[in-house]
Amino acid sequence: MKVIDHIRQAKDTLVSFEVLPPLKGKGIGALYNHLDPLMEHQPAFINVTYHRSEHVFKKRPDGGFEKVVVRKRPGTESICAAILNKYNVDTVPHLICGGFSVNETEDALINLHYLGIDNVLVLRGDAAKNEMSFEPEPGGHKYASDLLKQVVDLNDGVYLEEDLRDSHKTGFCIGVAGYPEKHFEAPNMDTDLQYLKRKVDLGADYIVTQMFFDNQKFHDFVARCREMGIMVPIIPGLKPIYSKKQLTILPKTFHIDLPADLANAVHKCKTDLDVEKVGAEWLLMQSRELKKSGVPVLHYYTLGRPQLIADVVGQI
Ligand code: FAD
């Protein structure tokens, strides 16, 4: 079932989770162990992230280094099918521009459609680790809006081979990313929102936000979207703090602020367990307020502490 239909049919705020494919060599059992405590809370859907290949330098026996291509977390499409099959829950594969030609994207979409997956979250992806800024693949998409257009075309039965007749229409529900604290490359919030509106005008069904720790930023973002005529559901993305290191890693990686009250409370913690307690309380406070404000879905980034999130969701 499509995410947008879950939202339309819901009588109350829904819950959804984002998971990562297991690291290569771990086996899918590691992912099931991660998901099991979360599944008790009957999520409407599960997102599975996409991780492109990276160039890494590997030491050779002669002491020199060799540049090799490594994909640490392969398998997004098949993991979505496996989760759907095992738990009977809808899945949302993340699909990125980076590393894909348009032909490879079309093949990936056809595979997803054959696997019975009705949803995609369409993203640009970040710059490859060895590049300063995002570079599309030769013959690939530069922006999420270009990739989105390809999915919309396929939903209309328009494939890359123009001479296909009576071609089958896929029916993907399309999500896109939004940034309550602005995407880090955008010159200002207004410009970023113009591009977000473009994605919605092209056919995005809903928006999922980058994580945030101050609900007011989410409410302001929603208000500005509505003023601009972006009327699709906006799903807040939430993540718990569970280690002191996150106070610097999260702002650096995701270009977000951590409120002073939260940062001060974490600083005062003596043990990691104390940090987890502070993080869980903050997440519970955020979740309760967002639910009260009428958000359609609470979407949790579960990397790191699935049990902590399961406990918080259990209290909402
Ligand atoms: P876009 O919408 O293409 O925007 C990128 C930048 O370009 C923005 O600054 C925007 O303002 C600007 N822009 C957009 N269109 C134009 C245009 N036509 N002309 C000029 N500028 C333009 N990354 C992964 O690799 N794998 C994942 O699984 C993944 N999951 C994510 C899930 C969520 C919910 C979020 C919020 C992010 C996720 N990301 C993931 C990270 C994402 O790929 C990065 O944030 C990326 O830098 C931007 O992606 P986007 O889809 O927002 O890009």
Side-chain angles (χ1 to χ4, degrees), residues 49-50 94 123-126 143-144 179 183 186 192 195 199 301:
T49 54
Y50 188 91
H94 293 192
L123 301 146
R124 187 195 68 181
D126 282 321
Y143 295 109
Y179 301 83
H183 184 260
D192 204 24
Y195 290 126
K199 293 192 277 192
Y301 299 114

Side-chain angles (χ1 to χ4, degrees), residues 99-114:
F100 281 83
S101 68
V102 291
N103 285 297
E104 287 163 343
T105 297
E106 186 172 273
D107 290 348
L109 286 165
I110 291 170
N111 279 333
L112 290 171
H113 183 59
Y114 290 164

Side-chain angles (χ1 to χ4, degrees), residues 118-286:
D118 299 325
N119 301 285
V120 280
L121 185 70
V122 162
L123 301 146
R124 187 195 68 181
D126 282 321
K129 291 235 160 79
N130 57 322
E131 286 172 353
M132 288 297 284
S133 58
F134 177 82
E135 289 297 333
E137 203 63 8
H141 297 300
K142 192 169 179 192
Y143 295 109
S145 50
D146 305 325
L147 172 56
L148 191 144
K149 176 79 174 55
Q150 185 175 7
V151 184
V152 170
D153 281 349
L154 220 59
N155 281 349
D156 287 337
V158 178
Y159 290 67
L160 294 171
E161 285 170 54
E162 283 166 14
D163 53 355
L164 285 182
R165 296 249 172 105
D166 298 326
S167 42
H168 179 77
K169 295 179 181 182
T170 55
F172 290 108
C173 170
I174 308 170
V176 290
Y179 301 83
E181 299 181 55
K182 188 179 87 59
H183 184 260
F184 70 105
E185 292 168 25
N188 56 66
M189 192 64 165
D190 272 353
T191 311
D192 204 24
L193 289 178
Q194 294 288 353
Y195 290 126
L196 179 59
K197 182 164 188 323
R198 183 171 154 70
K199 293 192 277 192
V200 173
D201 290 346
L202 282 169
D205 294 289
Y206 66 95
I207 295 164
V208 188
T209 76
Q210 182 58 279
M211 69 188 74
F212 58 88
F213 292 87
D214 175 354
N215 283 3
Q216 194 52 50
K217 292 195 170 164
F218 173 79
H219 296 309
D220 292 346
F221 173 74
V222 174
R224 287 183 80 172
C225 286
R226 301 306 183 221
E227 274 166 28
M228 294 187 68
I230 299 173
M231 304 314 282
V232 295
I234 302 180
I235 299 175
L238 296 166
K239 184 175 175 71
I241 296 276
Y242 48 81
S243 81
K244 281 193 179 182
K245 275 190 266 174
Q246 285 174 299
L247 291 185
T248 46
I249 291 172
L250 294 179
K252 190 172 163 212
T253 312
F254 298 104
H255 310 275
I256 50 153
D257 276 352
L258 295 172
D261 286 354
L262 174 60
N264 291 339
V266 171
H267 269 306
K268 280 186 200 147
C269 291
K270 295 211 162 55
T271 65
D272 278 351
L273 206 62
D274 294 341
V275 179
E276 277 192 32
K277 275 186 198 149
V278 168
E281 274 167 29
W282 194 272
L283 185 66
L284 183 60
M285 182 267 292
Q286 277 195 283

